Amino acid sequence: MVSSKMEDVLTVTASFEGFRENLEITGLQESLVAARQAAVRTAVARGVTVLDSFLTGSYRRHTLIAPMRGADVDIVVVLDRSYRRRGPSAVLDLVKDTLRETYPSSKISCNGQAATISFTDFTVDVVPAFTPWWDSSSLDICNSGDNTWIRTNPRKHIEISSQVNQRTGGLLVPSVKMLKAWNRAAGRPLRSFHLEVLAWKVLDPGWLTAAWWGPGAGMGSDPENVSRFFAEAPDRLRRKLRDPARGEGDLGAYLTDRTREEALSKLATAASRCARAAQLLDDGDVAGGSGLYRKVFGDAFPR
């Protein structure tokens, strides 16, 4: 006979498994993304000289979450260096105007480092980039905010994410997806990539630990992993978080003092609710605990 305590554990486990499933994009959506990103890349190449283009961002790191409405699919287009002399903002405008020739009825805008084309179901961010003469392993991307260049390496980000996921025994990606559901439910206090790198820092056991103890060392259940993030992320959010591909810059530079404090407050609320949910479940109140998790993660968490 299964004890009441064991039944509660099984119920919570099933809820988080359902939560994982609710965050997955479907095969049909995968096909749609594949077709649309290919069409957008072709549209850019019609108007400007593209040396290389590739998918990056959440989609490429396998951390894109459903529902697709409001999601971003990121494409980097490496342009011929002759365009660079125009300056970052003008390059973004050039890509925006090029996209408009193929998509005249779509909303297209310049936002941060990308020319964004909005479709009815999701958006595509086209990030123009240039390869520096003296640093072929990196790319310079536009920063329209202050009309400067940001040096980074999106391909390296994909590689790092994969490595951390392996060291966590495959638990990083589902944890990041759950944290993105929290971020969405909380009004997006953090940018998506900033949130992901915070998760890398909190959850990564390190290569030595993984090599010695095996992948997944230090990782727990889904509720334990997200609770750990909410408890440990605030300390890291208060400090500069460098681009992991280059060891410089600050991924949190977009935050003002006010928005940083708002993000910290929302992390604290999530931490408190997760701790309370765990206590309610420990006391046998499955409905109460699940209800609190739903407050943390939003409608994607099963009732």
Side-chain angles (χ1 to χ4, degrees):
M1 181 177 179
V2 180
S3 67
S4 176
K5 191 77 163 182
M6 183 60 70
E7 287 177 348
D8 294 345
V9 172
L10 292 174
T11 300
V12 175
T13 299
S15 293
F16 272 88
E17 287 178 352
F19 183 28
R20 285 192 185 206
E21 292 174 3
N22 290 343
L23 295 176
E24 294 293 328
I25 61 175
T26 67
L28 180 61
Q29 290 170 329
E30 288 269 11
S31 298
L32 178 59
V33 169
R36 185 166 294 158
Q37 62 85 18
V40 170
R41 288 159 79 172
T42 299
V44 176
R46 287 195 191 104
V48 293
T49 303
V50 176
L51 304 181
D52 187 20
S53 64
F54 57 92
L55 280 166
T56 185
S58 299
Y59 181 77
R60 191 63 181 78
R61 294 190 298 271
H62 308 292
T63 56
L64 188 67
I65 64 172
M68 284 292 293
R69 186 173 181 80
D72 298 326
V73 174
D74 301 309
I75 302 170
V76 171
V77 289
V78 183
L79 303 182
D80 184 87
R81 192 174 175 81
S82 61
Y83 300 109
R84 183 187 171 108
R85 66 175 64 95
R86 304 183 183 210
S89 295
V91 168
L92 281 172
D93 285 336
L94 172 64
V95 173
K96 179 183 69 175
D97 293 341
T98 300
L99 287 169
R100 185 163 285 127
E101 292 178 8
T102 302
Y103 302 99
S105 61
S106 296
K107 178 183 177 183
I108 304 174
S109 61
C110 293
N111 182 18
Q113 292 86 46
T116 300
I117 177 167
S118 299
F119 297 99
T120 55
D121 39 13
F122 60 89
T123 64
V124 175
D125 287 341
V126 180
V127 181
F130 298 93
T131 303
W133 289 119
W134 56 93
D135 186 3
S136 60
S137 65
S138 299
L139 291 173
D140 285 344
I141 63 175
C142 305
N143 181 14
S144 62
D146 55 7
N147 201 34
T148 57
W149 304 102
I150 300 173
R151 184 154 302 169
T152 187
N153 188 338
R155 284 193 171 103
K156 185 68 174 177
H157 296 152
I158 297 168
E159 179 184 331
I160 294 172
S161 178
S162 177
Q163 291 170 347
V164 177
N165 193 51
Q166 290 175 12
R167 289 195 290 266
T168 59
L171 295 176
L172 173 76
V173 166
S175 295
V176 167
K177 288 183 176 182
M178 293 175 195
L179 294 171
K180 286 190 173 185
W182 160 76
N183 196 48
R184 181 174 61 198
R188 293 183 171 84
L190 299 174
R191 288 183 179 174
S192 179
F193 185 58
H194 187 193
L195 177 68
E196 285 201 46
V197 177
L198 283 170
W200 298 352
K201 296 296 184 182
V202 171
L203 299 176
D204 185 6
W207 68 268
L208 183 60
T209 300
W212 188 259
W213 297 104
M219 298 295 286
S221 64
D222 287 337
E224 288 170 338
N225 294 335
V226 293
S227 293
R228 177 180 161 198
F229 174 86
F230 292 134
E232 296 183 19
D235 181 58
R236 296 182 180 276
L237 187 58
R238 292 185 179 95
R239 294 179 277 134
K240 183 178 290 187
L241 185 64
R242 301 192 182 279
D243 180 346
R246 293 186 53 80
E248 59 189 33
D250 180 14
L251 298 182
Y254 65 94
L255 292 168
T256 64
D257 289 343
R258 179 182 61 80
T259 56
R260 190 180 301 272
E261 287 304 314
E262 288 176 353
L264 288 167
S265 176
K266 289 177 178 180
L267 284 167
T269 297
S272 176
R273 285 175 172 169
C274 284
R276 178 58 179 158
Q279 183 61 57
L280 288 173
L281 292 167
D282 197 49
D283 294 340
D285 185 356
V286 175
S290 296
L292 275 178
Y293 280 129
R294 189 172 171 82
K295 283 185 177 181
V296 173
F297 297 110
D299 294 342
F301 195 87
R303 291 186 181 277

